[in-house]
Amino acid sequence: MPGSTDGSTRTMGVLTVGGLVVVTAYTVALGSNGWLWFGWVVLGLITLALIVMRS
């Protein structure tokens, strides 16, 4: 069905949003860490690729 997501894609989306919250909290509390942001961007791109491939 077009536009629907399976469980793994939904899980990746939740992990990506959760990762953004964690990285933002880390940045606020302890200062910016470029590797954390780079990792989050990579995770976001993987999630985006999964969503595009599913639709």
Side-chain angles (χ1 to χ4, degrees), residues 23 26-27 31-38:
V23 171
Y26 182 93
T27 299
S32 184
N33 184 334
W35 285 109
L36 286 178
W37 285 105
F38 175 77

Side-chain angles (χ1 to χ4, degrees), residues 9 12 41-55:
T9 305
M12 282 296 292
V41 168
V42 170
L43 181 62
L45 290 174
I46 292 170
T47 303
L48 183 62
L50 283 174
I51 292 169
V52 167
M53 289 187 336
R54 285 295 295 165
S55 25

Side-chain angles (χ1 to χ4, degrees), residues 2-38:
S4 68
T5 57
D6 63 354
S8 62
T9 305
R10 188 175 310 272
T11 302
M12 282 296 292
V14 169
L15 287 175
T16 302
V17 172
L20 176 61
V21 170
V22 169
V23 171
T24 303
Y26 182 93
T27 299
V28 168
L30 301 174
S32 184
N33 184 334
W35 285 109
L36 286 178
W37 285 105
F38 175 77

